[in-house]
Amino acid sequence: MLHLRMIVPPDRTQAAVKAIESTVGTTHLVVLPGAAREPAGDVVMCDVAREAGDELLKELRELRIDQDGSIAVENIDFSLSARADTAEKEAPGEPADAVLWEQLEGATHEESTLSITYSAFMILATMIAACGVVLDNAILIVGAMAVGPEFGPLAGICTAVVRREPRLAARSLIALIVGFAVAIAATTVFSLGMDALDLFSENRLDADRPNTSFIWQPDPFSFVVALLAGVAGMLSLTSAKSGALVGVAISVTTVPAGANAAVALSYGEFGQMWGSTEQLMLNLFGIVFAGVLTLYGQKLLWRTQRGRWRRAPGARKDS
């Protein structure tokens, strides 16, 4: 279930209440006339099944409540209410399958913004992966994959394509390109420093690396894994199962490929550098391609069910 808390201009309160009451899966409706001070208006609260949340939010935004008031949405982790149970049963579909497009766009907007923290995580992840590459240590590679924040911009690009949001696409693309460029440049300098301390060596890079040589030797499996990771990543975002993102993060070789390219560049090993770059581009393209297809598939699925979200006009909900 979702909890909605709104500040509604008084002249639109009746329309907002009508939209809530006529939406399948709503309950616990509360109206507090004149309770809001900044901005001034009525406070309206309700609970809604996740399956019906996107449709209700769309109607509320058509009333421009988000422009002249506010709409806050929270996940209800635990609720003891027979009426809430009834509302969830009335809403068609399953909560895990529902997509809240507004929430998805907001989440990807935040995660795909180029910031100092984002850049720091990219640099640290790439440096950890560089150590894993030189030591041929799979544990360090997995750790670097988990630390890397690059899926945020990738998800932002997918969302922007489906939602036709050029600003989000530009922001995500900038974060992705600049983030990897800065991380690779910093890791190249880091590699040179580690070499000066006699902790890295060209011989280690050129030696047989059974655990990490795949990083700069892309093959069809690289693209297949990227496709699967793209689908899993978008499903984890749209279904609010964020824990699955960790599995997605450690399944693709984006950050390790950037790290191998940086170390190879520091030693002038251009063959490995280009192989790593190819691996990186292959994975990025595969994730975006699969992510976009997944979102389009979900959009089509929910569009076919849209007629089931609403009851006949005048059907009133318990509040």
Side-chain angles (χ1 to χ4, degrees), residues 232-257:
M234 294 314 302
L235 288 177
S236 70
L237 287 178
T238 57
S239 64
K241 296 184 180 296
S242 57
L245 279 177
V246 177
V248 173
I250 63 176
S251 64
V252 290
T253 54
T254 49
V255 166

Side-chain angles (χ1 to χ4, degrees), residues 18 25-26 71 105 108 117 123 126 131 162 170 172 178 183 200 212 243-244 317:
K18 183 179 179 181
T26 59
I71 302 175
E105 187 172 336
T108 52
T117 301
I123 291 171
T126 309
C131 294
V162 176
S172 302
V178 174
F200 281 9
T212 59
K317 290 279 174 264

Side-chain angles (χ1 to χ4, degrees), residues 6-10 32-44 68-70:
M6 294 160 280
I7 297 178
V8 184
L32 303 175
R37 294 292 179 267
E38 179 55 41
D42 302 332
V43 174
V44 178
D68 302 322
S70 75

Side-chain angles (χ1 to χ4, degrees), residues 122-157:
M122 280 294 295
I123 291 171
L124 292 172
T126 309
M127 287 181 176
I128 293 172
C131 294
V133 163
V134 174
L135 296 175
D136 193 33
N137 189 315
I139 296 177
L140 291 177
I141 295 297
V142 171
M145 290 176 176
V147 172
E150 75 280 6
F151 191 79
L154 291 171
I157 293 173

Side-chain angles (χ1 to χ4, degrees), residues 71-312:
I71 302 175
V73 183
E74 300 174 346
N75 286 309
I76 300 177
D77 295 325
F78 182 67
S79 175
L80 294 175
S81 170
R83 295 187 179 185
D85 294 340
T86 300
E88 284 193 318
K89 291 178 181 178
E90 289 176 344
E94 295 295 329
D97 296 333
V99 181
L100 295 177
W101 293 101
E102 301 295 340
Q103 184 183 54
L104 177 62
E105 187 172 336
T108 52
H109 180 281
E110 180 180 350
E111 295 295 327
S112 62
T113 301
L114 183 64
S115 63
I116 294 176
T117 301
Y118 169 83
S119 300
F121 272 115
M122 280 294 295
I123 291 171
L124 292 172
T126 309
M127 287 181 176
I128 293 172
C131 294
V133 163
V134 174
L135 296 175
D136 193 33
N137 189 315
I139 296 177
L140 291 177
I141 295 297
V142 171
M145 290 176 176
V147 172
E150 75 280 6
F151 191 79
L154 291 171
I157 293 173
C158 297
T159 304
V161 171
V162 176
R163 299 281 288 175
R164 299 180 183 179
E165 293 284 349
R167 291 185 179 180
L168 177 59
R171 181 182 291 106
S172 302
L173 195 59
I174 290 172
L176 190 67
I177 294 174
V178 174
F180 269 108
V182 170
I184 291 174
T187 303
T188 301
V189 176
F190 172 74
S191 178
L192 292 172
M194 293 292 280
D195 181 75
L197 295 173
D198 204 24
L199 296 175
F200 281 9
S201 69
E202 188 173 359
N203 289 335
R204 283 187 171 184
L205 184 68
D206 293 334
D208 291 336
R209 290 184 285 143
N211 294 320
T212 59
S213 60
F214 70 93
I215 292 173
W216 61 277
Q217 296 174 338
D219 56 30
F221 280 104
S222 301
F223 188 66
V224 171
V225 172
L227 290 175
L228 297 176
V231 174
M234 294 314 302
L235 288 177
S236 70
L237 287 178
T238 57
S239 64
K241 296 184 180 296
S242 57
L245 279 177
V246 177
V248 173
I250 63 176
S251 64
V252 290
T253 54
T254 49
V255 166
N260 199 87
V263 176
L265 178 61
S266 69
Y267 287 116
E269 293 282 349
F270 296 110
Q272 281 202 38
M273 185 191 74
W274 289 118
S276 301
T277 302
E278 184 180 350
Q279 178 79 273
L280 174 61
M281 299 304 295
L282 196 64
N283 277 274
L284 294 179
F285 174 76
I287 292 172
V288 171
F289 181 73
V292 168
L293 290 182
T294 300
L295 289 180
Y296 269 124
Q298 290 181 296
K299 189 175 183 179
L300 179 62
L301 173 65
W302 287 100
R303 181 176 294 174
T304 60
Q305 297 182 352
R306 177 166 294 175
R308 301 170 59 198
W309 295 142
R310 309 277 297 171
R311 282 185 173 179

Side-chain angles (χ1 to χ4, degrees), residues 7-41:
I7 297 178
V8 184
D11 62 325
R12 275 164 272 181
T13 299
Q14 185 176 355
V17 170
K18 183 179 179 181
I20 293 170
E21 290 180 330
S22 60
T23 299
V24 173
T26 59
T27 188
H28 302 154
L29 175 61
V30 177
V31 180
L32 303 175
R37 294 292 179 267
E38 179 55 41

